[in-house]
Structure formats: structure tokens, C-alpha cells
Amino acid sequence: MRRLRNILSVIALVMLFAFSAQAQRRINPVTPPPPTQGTKKEVKEEFDKSRLTETKDSQGNVVLVDTVTGTEYIDSTALVAPVGNIYPLMHAVTVGVDIWDPVMKIIGTEYGGISFWGELSLHNRFKPVFEFGLSSADIHPDGMNYTFKSPMAPFFKLGMNYNIFYNSNPAYQLLFGLRYAFTPYKWRIENAQPNNTYWQTEPFSIPQQNAITGYLELIASIKVQIFKNISMGWQVKYHSVLHQSKNKYGEPMYIPGFGKRGTPIAGGFSIMYTLPLNKKTAPKVNTTEGGATNSAPTE
């Protein structure tokens, strides 16, 4: 029950942050002129030109984007108003590889593997994700007298990311995500030596056991474009076991895709490639004599 309360608390905090950030981006910091006054040019004069760029949405409305705060506005009737999604529904497809575990194994971690994932971008806002990976473990706990082993096993993750800056340049994203993960795997204990100096007990082993575990994963991540369609991203992950198969020998100390039991926080680092599904590009600032705004390419 305590674990469930902790999970719900984390989810509530993530949702509160996401909604508050969205609300802040949709507040107009400038009082618009009355409907009978001002033209498009006069409306623009209310803003800092060095921070504005101009493009059009799918309905042909002129969209003004604040390049510093990421706030978007419609300016089609000499009035300024917040807008919805400026990117199309089928926006882009991204594929990536998480190389965090391979790097960690190189520097001495006794468990891990590699994972590949794919993401569909809807309006540059909602991003369904599927992930597949392989992982193994050969752990010699410090101060303990046994070895825990788990051969290479698959894990699967299905979930959704939400981009806080969904109407800003897609090259830079702040995402929060939720995953359900599932893994069938095997584990065993080798060379376990009881701490008994009197009876001189012989070492023993636990034979290979089958296990199935499902767990929840909460993610906060940053995506940054580094060259054309190539990006990199950092992730912080929180794990919590939802269900697992029972075993007479107790709980395994390692779960594929999760890590060691008792360490719910993990990291990630991905290299990714994004394939746009349309011609619309992120707004770009073009300095001109009359100001720092210019129309971005349209479809």
C-alpha cells in the first residue's frame, strides 16, 4: 500500500508540473489592443521583436512564436490569442538506441545490456513509445559470499511521452513519460557459502529459476538535436515493481531493464534519428531591417 501511495504521489507531481508549465506558456504577457484598433503590424509592436518569429499553422493562421519563452499566439484579426497545436497530427517518427548500460558495463557495472526504441510524434506533443532490449547479470555483491547470475533475457516497454514544449522548435524537447515494462527471465545463485565457522558447511547453489516481472517506469528526459536529423537525449528513470512470479527461494536481486532490486532510480542516454512526416519546419528567426521576425517555410 505504501508503494502504491509513493507511485501515485510521483505521478501527481509530474502531472502538476506538466499542467503548470503548459498554463504558463499559454498566458499572454501583453495586453492586446481593442478589436477596432491596430493592425497586424501594430500588434507586433507590442512585443519584443528580437524574440518573435512568424509562421502559419495548418489552418493558415499567422502564428507568432516567442523564441525565448516558447509562447505561441494567433494574429489573424489584429488580436493576440493563445493557440493549440501548430504541428500536424502525424509529425515525425524517431528511432533510438540507449547506450547507457553498455557504457556502464565498460566501466565496471556487473549487469545491463542494450535497448532499442521507436516513437511516433503526434503534434510534437504526444509520443507513443515501444522499447525492446536485452540484458544480463553476473553480480558478486560486496561483502557477500555468493554469485547471482541471470543469462541474457529480453524486456519490453510500452508507454507514452509528453513534450512540455510541444509548440516550440522540435530540436529541443523536455519530456515526461510513463511506461509499463514486462520481462521473462531466468536466474540462479552459485557458490553460496553459509557464514558458519563452527560446522564447516559445504558451499551450495540455487538451481536456475524461471521468473516473470512487470514494473512501472516514470521518465523525465531532455532531447537535443546535434546534427541534422541526429539527436541525443538524457533520461532519469524511476522504477517500481507491479507484479512478479512467486518463488520458493525468494525474490531475485536483478530484473532485466530495471536493474538491481532496491535501486529504483536509473539513468539513460540515447542516440536517435528523427524522420519528419511532413514539410513543416520549426520557426526560425531571420534578422531583417524592420525587425527580427520572418515567416518560416510552410507546407
Side-chain angles (χ1 to χ4, degrees):
M1 190 65 182
R2 180 179 300 175
R3 176 179 295 170
L4 179 59
R5 288 199 301 268
N6 292 338
I7 294 174
L8 292 176
S9 298
V10 173
I11 294 176
L13 289 173
V14 171
M15 293 180 64
L16 179 61
F17 178 83
F19 289 137
S20 63
Q22 179 181 352
Q24 291 174 4
R25 295 176 68 247
R26 298 175 72 86
I27 292 175
N28 178 12
V30 179
T31 302
T36 58
Q37 298 179 3
T39 63
K40 184 192 302 183
K41 180 178 180 181
E42 290 173 338
V43 172
K44 290 181 185 179
E45 293 296 336
E46 298 291 334
F47 295 86
D48 181 355
K49 288 184 178 181
S50 66
R51 289 168 44 174
L52 284 181
T53 186
E54 180 180 305
T55 185
K56 292 184 179 181
D57 63 13
S58 57
Q59 285 75 41
N61 298 315
V62 176
V63 178
L64 305 177
V65 181
D66 189 321
T67 58
V68 175
T69 66
T71 307
E72 300 83 22
Y73 308 91
I74 286 180
D75 177 22
S76 58
T77 60
L79 287 178
V80 179
V83 302
N85 301 302
I86 68 172
Y87 291 98
L89 174 62
M90 305 299 289
H91 176 243
V93 171
T94 299
V95 293
V97 54
D98 190 337
I99 61 173
W100 177 274
D101 278 359
V103 172
M104 292 298 102
K105 292 196 76 171
I106 290 175
I107 64 177
T109 303
E110 298 177 314
Y111 58 87
I114 193 169
S115 65
F116 304 88
W117 54 270
E119 172 190 273
L120 173 63
S121 175
L122 305 177
H123 292 304
N124 191 41
R125 185 175 187 178
F126 302 102
K127 300 173 180 286
V129 179
F130 175 76
E131 182 176 349
F132 167 77
L134 295 169
S135 187
S136 64
D138 187 355
I139 304 173
H140 308 269
D142 294 337
M144 299 294 181
N145 52 359
Y146 66 89
T147 300
F148 176 93
K149 291 192 175 184
S150 177
M152 191 70 70
F155 59 89
F156 310 89
K157 299 180 182 181
L158 182 64
M160 177 80 73
N161 287 336
Y162 182 84
N163 180 19
I164 298 296
F165 303 133
Y166 56 88
N167 275 350
S168 298
N169 190 336
Y172 307 96
Q173 300 180 18
L174 172 63
L175 304 116
F176 291 92
L178 179 67
R179 309 276 193 279
Y180 169 74
F182 173 84
T183 175
Y185 58 106
K186 300 178 180 180
W187 63 275
R188 66 182 186 272
I189 299 291
E190 295 182 352
N191 302 320
Q193 175 66 57
N195 293 321
N196 191 328
T197 59
Y198 181 80
W199 293 104
Q200 299 297 319
T201 331
E202 292 295 326
F204 68 93
S205 299
I206 296 177
Q208 186 160 272
Q209 305 294 306
N210 294 320
I212 296 177
T213 300
Y215 56 93
L216 179 72
E217 185 174 81
L218 298 177
I219 294 179
S221 64
I222 297 173
K223 177 183 177 181
V224 177
Q225 180 180 335
I226 55 176
F227 179 73
K228 294 185 178 180
N229 292 2
I230 306 298
S231 302
M232 60 183 180
W234 297 263
Q235 301 92 36
V236 177
K237 307 175 184 180
Y238 171 81
H239 301 117
S240 181
V241 174
L242 296 178
H243 62 85
Q244 61 185 351
S245 55
K246 295 183 179 180
N247 190 285
K248 63 180 180 180
Y249 295 107
E251 299 176 337
M253 69 180 302
Y254 167 80
I255 302 170
F258 181 108
K260 292 178 68 175
R261 190 183 298 273
T263 55
I265 305 298
F269 179 79
S270 292
I271 302 296
M272 59 201 83
Y273 178 86
T274 298
L275 176 65
L277 298 179
N278 58 84
K279 297 180 181 180
K280 183 178 288 295
T281 60
K284 296 181 180 179
V285 175
N286 182 21
T287 303
T288 62
E289 182 178 355
T293 62
N294 196 11
S295 296
T298 57
E299 295 180 319

